């Protein structure tokens, strides 16, 4: 038997302005903006919310947008979309490819904003079907990890209603319009680590008079690969990536310093702390062995928290998604090693559901052999790839997932 929330969702999204939403998406995709620079995107989102009847405020957390629609007694539900793009040069050859050199919506946040607009407009137009308060958040700077915290620090829950539940979603690789739910840990924590190795510079022809930080850094990069393989138990999921090495100015000059930048992905704070301790120990040991004139500097950079769905909340949303899209459309892929700052909006207290909507164009997906969904997903362009291009068929899907999710908590009757 179909629930009232599912029936209302199907009714409110039965005649979506798909062509208009696709045009909105293409416009956002052509004009990507980096973290905390989402001025045009925020203006476009705010205009649509105001036209739909939302009380709308811009500039929350620098470039964030909040829209509130009060519709009688009932729960307050927050729906969020992130807005920022990445410093990636687009290589999709799409007719609506980025017009901004070196910047691209390579993570699909333009699709997220489009979904949010479509859902907000559908719920506003169908407000006779539900009661409560709808809170719509366009969040800046997810990619840099500071946007959600900035909005909270700027009085998000002092200036606007405090929600009973938060809803968020993300586009991902996979066959078009499947929905991935995990009732618990769904995304990992991430921590950036910078290491400065101090040597003693000199002429390339006289290495014996120097302490070469490049050689020490090279040994350290190799040693760091044992942190996961030899410091952690096989059951403890973690990733350590050396993403950058920077040293020297000329081929015949031994520099005085070398810098290494790492990224850690972990599923618990305890594992993260042990990895950081191992990194500090290894860096100190390599520098001591090389005779470096001073100890290395190990600095922790930006950090994203784990994303852990409230199990009951996520099961409720997944249940209505099965009703709306069919039982086979919803699956549990287990935790991903990617990271999000969405949970900062929950302040460690508010329950939330966060899910993925898969979006690989059929012709791309069908070209990959095999039957394993997760395995095939690794062989198609993924988030942050210069070739990442969600299928426009996911526009109505993402609108319906948000609408049905919201209606599963708002008072429907």
């Amino acid at each position: 038997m179909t629930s009232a929330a599912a029936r209302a969702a199907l009714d409110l999204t039965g005649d979506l302005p798909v062509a208009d939403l696709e045009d909105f998406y293409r416009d956002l995709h052509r004009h990507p903006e980096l973290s905390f620079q989402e001025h045009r995107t925020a203006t476009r989102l705010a205009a649509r919310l105001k036209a739909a009847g939302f009380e709308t405020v811009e500039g929350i957390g620098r470039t964030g947008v909040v829209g509130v629609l009060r519709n009688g007694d009932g729960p307050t539900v927050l729906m969020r979309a992130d807005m920022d793009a990445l410093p990636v040069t687009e290589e999709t050859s799409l007719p609506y490819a980025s017009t901004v050199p070196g910047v691209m919506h390579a993570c699909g946040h333009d699709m997220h904003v489009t979904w949010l607009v479509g859902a907000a407009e559908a719920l506003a137009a169908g407000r006779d079907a539900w009661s409560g308060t709808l809170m719509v958040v366009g969040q800046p700077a997810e990619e840099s990890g500071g946007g959600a915290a900035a909005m909270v620090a700027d009085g998000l829950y002092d200036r606007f209603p405090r929600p009973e539940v938060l809803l968020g979603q993300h586009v991902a690789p996979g066959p078009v319009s499947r929905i991935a739910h995990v009732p618990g840990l769904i995304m990992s924590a991430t921590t950036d680590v910078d290491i400065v190795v101090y040597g003693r510079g000199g002429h390339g022809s006289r290495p014996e008079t120097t302490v070469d930080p490049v050689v020490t850094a090279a040994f350290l990069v190799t040693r760091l690969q044992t942190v996961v393989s030899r410091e952690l138990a096989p059951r403890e999921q973690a990733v350590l990536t050396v993403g950058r090495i920077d040293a020297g100015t000329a081929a015949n000059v031994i520099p005085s310093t070398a810098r290494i930048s790492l990224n850690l992905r972990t599923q618990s704070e305890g594992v993260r702390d042990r990895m950081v301790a191992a990194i500090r120990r290894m860096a100190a040991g390599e520098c001591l062995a090389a005779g470096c004139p001073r100890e290395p500097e190990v600095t922790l950079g930006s950090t994203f928290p784990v994303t852990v769905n409230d199990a009951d909340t996520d099961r409720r949303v997944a249940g209505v998604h099965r009703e709306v899209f069919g039982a086979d459309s919803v699956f549990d892929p287990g935790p991903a090693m990617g990271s999000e700052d969405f949970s900062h909006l929950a302040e460690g207290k508010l329950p939330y559901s966060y899910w993925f909507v898969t979006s690989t164009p059929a012709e791309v997906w069908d070209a990959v052999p095999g039957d394993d969904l997760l395995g095939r997903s690794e062989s198609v362009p993924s988030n942050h790839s210069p070739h990442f291009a969600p299928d426009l068929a996911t526009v109505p899907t993402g609108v319906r997932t948000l609408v049905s999710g919201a209606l599963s908590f708002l008072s429907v009757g």
Side-chain angles (χ1 to χ4, degrees), residues 7 26 43 62 82 107 109 129 139 144 169 216 228 231 233 241 275 332 334 371 397:
R7 291 194 300 272
R26 293 188 189 98
T43 298
R62 294 170 62 178
D82 37 16
C107 202
H109 296 185
Q139 182 205 303
S144 64
Q169 58 183 359
T216 303
V228 173
E231 300 274 336
T241 296
M275 291 179 73
D332 182 346
D371 297 321
T397 303

Side-chain angles (χ1 to χ4, degrees), residues 162-314:
R162 189 175 184 85
E164 275 78 34
V165 66
L166 290 75
L167 304 176
Q169 58 183 359
H170 205 296
V171 67
V176 171
S177 297
R178 296 284 298 279
I179 306 159
H181 275 279
V182 182
L185 177 71
I186 187 168
M187 297 190 79
S188 303
T190 182
T191 302
D192 291 337
V193 183
D194 288 318
I195 304 172
V196 180
V197 174
Y198 291 95
R200 185 167 59 245
H203 199 286
S205 66
R206 302 185 65 200
E208 76 280 5
T209 67
T210 72
V211 176
D212 192 337
V214 177
V215 174
T216 303
F219 276 114
L220 179 55
V221 168
T222 302
R223 174 73 67 182
L224 289 170
Q225 305 313 305
T226 68
V227 171
V228 173
S229 66
R230 292 297 179 267
E231 300 274 336
L232 303 179
R235 67 179 179 277
E236 295 173 322
Q237 296 294 313
V239 174
L240 183 153
T241 296
V242 178
R244 181 181 179 186
I245 303 176
D246 184 18
T249 57
N252 63 345
V253 176
I254 294 174
S256 297
T257 60
R259 298 174 184 271
I260 306 170
S261 295
L262 319 177
N263 180 256
L264 311 182
R265 303 278 171 162
T266 61
Q267 295 182 349
S268 76
E269 187 173 337
V271 169
R272 193 283 303 265
D273 291 346
R274 282 158 50 204
M275 291 179 73
V276 171
I279 290 166
R280 292 185 187 280
R281 186 186 74 242
M282 291 177 180
E286 290 295 344
C287 289
L288 179 64
C292 293
R294 55 180 288 191
E295 292 185 353
E297 287 183 6
V298 179
T299 305
L300 302 188
S302 63
T303 298
F304 288 71
V306 291
T307 304
V308 183
N309 282 326
D310 175 72
D312 290 339
T313 300
D314 190 67

Side-chain angles (χ1 to χ4, degrees), residues 141-156:
E142 185 278 329
E143 296 294 355
S144 64
M151 294 191 79
V152 172
D154 199 18
L156 180 64

Side-chain angles (χ1 to χ4, degrees), residues 24-107:
F24 182 79
Y25 166 76
R26 293 188 189 98
D27 178 74
L28 295 182
H29 192 85
R30 289 188 185 101
H31 302 94
E33 297 170 301
L34 295 174
S35 299
F36 288 125
Q37 298 175 30
E38 312 93 333
H39 303 287
R40 184 182 186 277
T41 305
T43 298
R44 296 276 283 136
L45 170 59
R48 296 288 290 247
L49 295 178
K50 290 173 185 175
F54 285 77
E55 303 169 30
T56 306
V57 180
E58 299 179 61
I60 309 300
R62 294 170 62 178
T63 49
V65 178
V66 176
V68 177
L69 183 63
R70 305 173 198 271
N71 193 34
D73 295 334
T76 297
V77 175
L78 183 152
M79 303 190 305
R80 170 268 203 176
D82 37 16
M83 303 187 295
D84 53 331
L86 285 160
V88 172
T89 298
E90 183 159 358
E91 298 178 16
T92 63
S93 300
L94 290 167
Y96 50 88
S98 171
T99 60
V100 182
V103 182
M104 175 194 175
H105 268 298
C107 202

